[in-house]
Amino acid sequence: MIFAANFKTNHTRASTAKYIAVLKEKLHAKKPEDRVYIFPPATALDQYEGDFKIGAQNAYPTQNGAFTGEIGLEQLEEFGINTLLIGHSERREKLGESQEKVAQKFRFFKDQGYEILYCIGEPLEIREKGNEAVMEYLLAQFDGIDIGYEKLIIAYEPIWAIGTGRSATVEEIASTHEALKQTVQKPLLYGGSVNPANIKEITAIRGVDGVLVGSASLDAEKFSTMILA
């Protein structure tokens, strides 16, 4: 099982270091086969040691250059970062990242051998049109993406369930994951209001290979509880 924590614009360098210290102790009790990923904000990236991987929430497809406000390979390599989150709906919706831009970023970091956690998801108006519309919308988000890439992990996050407290139903998650697995044979995570109260139910669903956790991952004790559950 894969457990990934997306801090988004939360935590500082100091609080992330404290978080990691707590997490390291808790992870001694996890199953050896379980994999843990932490995605702190860019200002908190550092070289941390433990039974987990640190990834970046975003990066620009460049070694370095005149790209104000962005980070490239040169900055990530300083901390030994080789894992990247790409395609999150908040970047697509709030920051206007097109599928073309997302695919360009994917191709660049694939060529660098990065492990890529690639996010897809649909808005509520698409979900309400039914499963066929949902799958058409989701599969379009693989345009320009090499779904055969060996270091690819997919995260399905229905946009209407992110940060709302409303998770998709077991039936919605199961049917969507089953349909996606027919096209993409890669580890498939579920994300969208995953928390300690529903973690067992979600990870027990056939076709769910792990979770991408937002707000519930911000507390190391709470996230550890989810991993050990």
Side-chain angles (χ1 to χ4, degrees):
M1 197 64 64
I2 297 172
F3 299 87
N6 181 13
F7 288 0
K8 305 185 181 184
T9 311
N10 296 288
H11 278 303
T12 62
R13 181 177 293 270
S15 67
T16 298
K18 292 179 181 178
Y19 180 106
I20 295 295
V22 172
L23 186 69
K24 283 176 65 174
E25 290 301 313
K26 298 293 183 180
L27 291 185
H28 289 310
K30 83 172 182 64
K31 296 177 182 177
E33 66 271 22
D34 286 345
R35 294 151 60 188
V36 178
Y37 295 80
I38 309 295
F39 294 89
T43 56
L45 292 177
D46 208 338
Q47 292 177 319
Y48 300 103
E49 294 184 357
D51 193 8
F52 53 83
K53 291 192 74 171
I54 298 292
Q57 296 176 23
N58 178 55
Y60 197 80
T62 187
Q63 175 71 27
N64 51 37
F67 305 100
T68 301
E70 297 286 349
I71 59 174
L73 281 175
E74 185 174 86
Q75 289 75 43
L76 298 176
E77 288 172 349
E78 180 180 12
F79 302 115
I81 303 294
N82 57 12
T83 303
L84 183 64
L85 199 67
I86 293 179
H88 195 282
S89 63
E90 288 166 355
R91 294 199 61 84
R92 295 180 190 261
E93 301 288 318
K94 297 180 180 179
L95 298 173
E97 284 195 358
S98 65
Q99 183 61 31
E100 182 181 3
K101 291 291 186 182
V102 169
Q104 177 191 18
K105 190 181 296 184
F106 182 95
R107 288 191 297 270
F108 179 87
F109 286 99
K110 172 198 164 187
D111 289 345
Q112 305 302 318
Y114 268 54
E115 188 169 25
I116 296 173
L117 204 161
Y118 185 73
C119 301
I120 59 172
E122 85 283 355
L124 184 58
E125 60 266 25
I126 297 297
R127 169 57 65 176
E128 290 177 339
K129 291 181 180 179
N131 291 337
E132 187 175 336
V134 169
M135 289 311 301
E136 182 180 354
Y137 190 92
L138 294 179
L139 293 179
Q141 292 177 325
F142 290 116
D143 287 351
I145 304 300
D146 178 7
I147 59 175
Y149 180 47
E150 62 180 357
K151 295 182 180 180
L152 173 63
I153 299 171
I154 306 295
Y156 165 60
E157 293 192 300
I159 299 170
W160 46 271
I162 298 175
T164 63
R166 175 191 171 188
S167 178
T169 65
V170 169
E171 292 75 18
E172 287 169 332
I173 298 170
S175 63
T176 304
H177 276 236
E178 181 181 0
L180 285 169
K181 287 275 190 176
Q182 294 177 17
T183 300
V184 188
Q185 286 77 46
K186 293 294 177 182
L188 181 56
L189 315 186
Y190 172 75
S193 296
V194 182
N195 57 61
N198 61 23
I199 185 68
K200 287 186 178 180
E201 183 177 50
I202 290 173
T203 54
I205 299 171
R206 183 177 179 181
V208 172
D209 301 310
V211 289
L212 177 58
V213 188
S215 59
S217 73
L218 297 179
D219 180 272
E221 294 277 358
K222 183 182 290 187
F223 187 53
S224 301
T225 297
M226 297 172 71
I227 296 168
L228 301 180

